Amino acid sequence: MRTLSFRNSMFTHSAEITLTTSRALGLVAIASGENYQQAERALADAGFSRLPNGAFAFPLTDPQATRSIASTLVHHAHARCATITPSSHPYLGDLGAEIASRLPGSWTAELQIFSHPLWQEDLWPILWEADEIYRALEDHRVPFASVLKNSVGTKLLLIERPGHRSGYLLGALTDREQEDPRTDPTTPHSIVLPADPDLAAHAIAHTFLPSYRRALHNQNLNNVLRSLERIQEEHETLQVIKESGRYSDGVPLSTSRLIAELERDFADHAWLSFRAVLDHAPGLLARCRPAATAWPDDAAALARLHEAVTDSQDAWTEWNDLRRDLYSVPQTLSSREWSQVRGQLGLAVLPAIETWLADSAAFERQARAAVPGGPTALSAPSPRLLIATVPVAGHAHTARTERSR
């Protein structure tokens, strides 16, 4: 698990109040620190009203009222040992909503507050970013952020740029299980945004989102290719054992029952990997236009791959229904039962798996040619080298740990 480099400096029993302004709400205050409750009590004692998102607000009706609330807040903050920090940025909740309203499609924005320093770490598992936002979360306290979402599941993280009196950082979030974004070549990079919502929305729509779509395409493609590579390796190992009649250590197969067990074992592991194909390949195939590439004859291979995915839909639906049903009620399956289920599904889709192994090269070159952005995107270095399957004769067929049931 990633940890924050500034953690030791945070645990100082702090109570902090960040003050900012909103055209609609007036004076907005956000409590944070290890003792953020003390800051919240100071705000409540001073007459601030708590908002649904956890921030506090006080309407600025006239200069006298402003001076009065400021003086009252200073008094109560001092009594609660809370520090007050005026922000040079306007209220982030307003800016997030203004940007969302200007983006193409249907977008919403929600201010999220990480009052306790440890809550900031909740961002790590969902952060798909290895650039400035990554470093900002490692090196600075980020007590609040705006999360922008659209109707197709895209999630973006908007924060104030630490160490700067103006400007914002925008990066990508994801609900997927992912590798360390610092080593993932497909990871999209954050961008710096101005305070003007029109300019910020234009930069997101015309710079960040196209880059995000390319990154998502490449990530999906790499997930499919890695899965096929794993299946190919185990498939070749199985074929070598069956053709030779011996295990890799030379011990002969004594009965046909052992071969059947090896085939079921392969089907179990193959299903675990083939799920990524069934999950991501349909969207990738939909973008492929072989007639517009240098390999128009790949159309026949893509048609076979389409058909293989279609033929696997019953198994894919059965798997998803089973997982949903098991997680919705308090019941579990044993490891052996899970293995049996996966083995049955793997055997059911074995013809589809073999089709994908046979036509994987055509799929890869067509999917790479279909990267969103066209020729401009293709001129960039490939995020992953073409897969070269290495013969695995002599390697034992080994079980893989199931990471996701």
Side-chain angles (χ1 to χ4, degrees):
M1 178 180 177
R2 289 172 286 186
T3 57
L4 305 182
S5 60
F6 61 88
R7 176 181 291 180
N8 290 336
S9 64
M10 291 191 304
F11 290 102
T12 57
H13 303 284
S14 62
E16 304 169 11
I17 296 172
T18 301
L19 284 181
T20 184
T21 57
S22 164
R23 287 192 299 271
L25 300 172
L27 193 60
V28 178
I30 297 175
S32 62
E34 191 182 10
N35 286 343
Y36 69 92
Q37 297 97 332
Q38 294 298 320
E40 291 182 336
R41 293 188 183 102
L43 290 166
D45 292 343
F48 280 70
S49 299
R50 187 183 182 95
L51 302 175
N53 61 15
F56 289 77
F58 187 89
L60 297 179
T61 55
D62 57 68
Q64 183 177 353
T66 301
R67 289 191 294 270
S68 175
I69 190 61
S71 175
T72 303
L73 178 58
V74 169
H75 170 75
H76 287 286
H78 179 74
R80 298 286 184 178
C81 298
T83 60
I84 301 175
T85 303
S87 174
S88 60
H89 295 76
Y91 176 50
L92 186 62
D94 287 348
L95 181 65
E98 291 171 358
I99 291 176
S101 68
R102 290 164 170 79
L103 292 175
S106 178
W107 288 81
T108 60
E110 177 186 2
L111 187 76
Q112 296 187 359
I113 298 177
F114 315 109
S115 295
H116 194 284
L118 289 180
W119 298 353
Q120 183 176 326
E121 294 192 14
D122 291 344
L123 291 171
W124 283 130
I126 60 174
L127 184 66
W128 191 24
E129 155 64 31
D131 202 23
E132 193 168 349
I133 284 187
Y134 189 102
R135 295 192 299 271
L137 291 173
E138 278 193 318
D139 301 334
H140 300 275
R141 271 288 287 130
V142 179
F144 50 87
S146 182
V147 176
L148 281 62
K149 303 177 185 179
N150 71 358
S151 56
V152 296
T154 305
K155 296 181 182 179
L156 309 178
L157 182 71
L158 178 68
I159 66 172
E160 296 177 356
R161 194 180 185 192
H164 295 76
R165 292 187 58 80
S166 63
Y168 300 83
L169 296 176
L170 182 92
L173 299 176
T174 179
D175 292 329
R176 299 181 178 190
E177 180 180 347
Q178 58 178 325
E179 300 177 2
D180 188 331
R182 294 169 296 183
T183 60
D184 181 358
T186 68
T187 301
H189 294 286
S190 57
I191 61 172
V192 178
L193 296 177
D196 182 283
D198 289 314
L199 295 177
H202 185 274
I204 295 172
H206 296 279
T207 300
F208 186 83
L209 288 178
S211 174
Y212 172 85
R213 286 190 286 268
R214 288 192 294 272
L216 193 61
H217 179 98
N218 286 325
Q219 185 188 65
N220 290 341
L221 175 56
N222 286 348
N223 284 338
V224 170
L225 295 179
R226 291 188 188 103
S227 297
L228 292 175
E229 190 175 28
R230 289 192 296 269
I231 296 172
Q232 181 71 48
E233 179 180 331
E234 297 198 356
H235 186 262
E236 291 183 358
T237 300
L238 177 62
Q239 294 305 114
V240 168
I241 293 175
K242 290 172 63 176
E243 291 171 5
S244 67
R246 295 176 178 273
Y247 290 103
S248 57
D249 58 5
V251 176
L253 292 171
S254 57
T255 65
S256 59
R257 180 179 61 82
L258 293 178
I259 295 180
E261 289 179 357
L262 287 174
E263 290 176 337
R264 285 193 296 271
D265 192 33
F266 165 75
D268 175 0
H269 301 145
W271 173 259
L272 281 173
S273 294
F274 196 60
R275 294 175 306 168
V277 178
L278 297 178
D279 193 13
H280 302 307
L284 295 168
L285 288 170
R287 294 195 185 100
C288 293
R289 300 290 184 270
T293 71
W295 313 280
D297 291 344
D298 285 344
L302 294 188
R304 291 191 293 270
L305 296 177
H306 272 291
E307 184 177 1
V309 170
T310 300
D311 292 343
S312 304
Q313 287 308 299
D314 287 345
W316 185 230
T317 299
E318 180 180 344
W319 172 261
N320 289 320
D321 288 347
L322 174 63
R323 295 186 68 209
R324 185 187 63 248
D325 293 344
L326 287 175
Y327 288 134
S328 64
V329 295
Q331 60 176 312
T332 60
L333 293 181
S334 67
S335 297
R336 179 177 178 82
E337 290 171 326
W338 274 115
S339 179
Q340 291 174 341
V341 169
R342 294 191 305 265
Q344 292 170 357
L345 295 175
L347 290 173
V349 300
L350 187 57
I353 290 175
E354 292 174 341
T355 298
W356 271 89
L357 294 179
D359 290 325
S360 62
F363 165 75
E364 180 173 10
R365 59 176 168 258
Q366 289 297 327
R368 293 205 182 281
V371 172
T376 301
L378 290 176
S379 66
S382 173
R384 183 171 183 270
L385 296 177
L386 299 180
I387 287 178
T389 303
V390 180
V392 294
H395 289 263
H397 182 67
T398 58
R400 297 183 183 274
T401 301
E402 185 199 0
R403 299 178 59 192
S404 173
R405 291 175 177 174

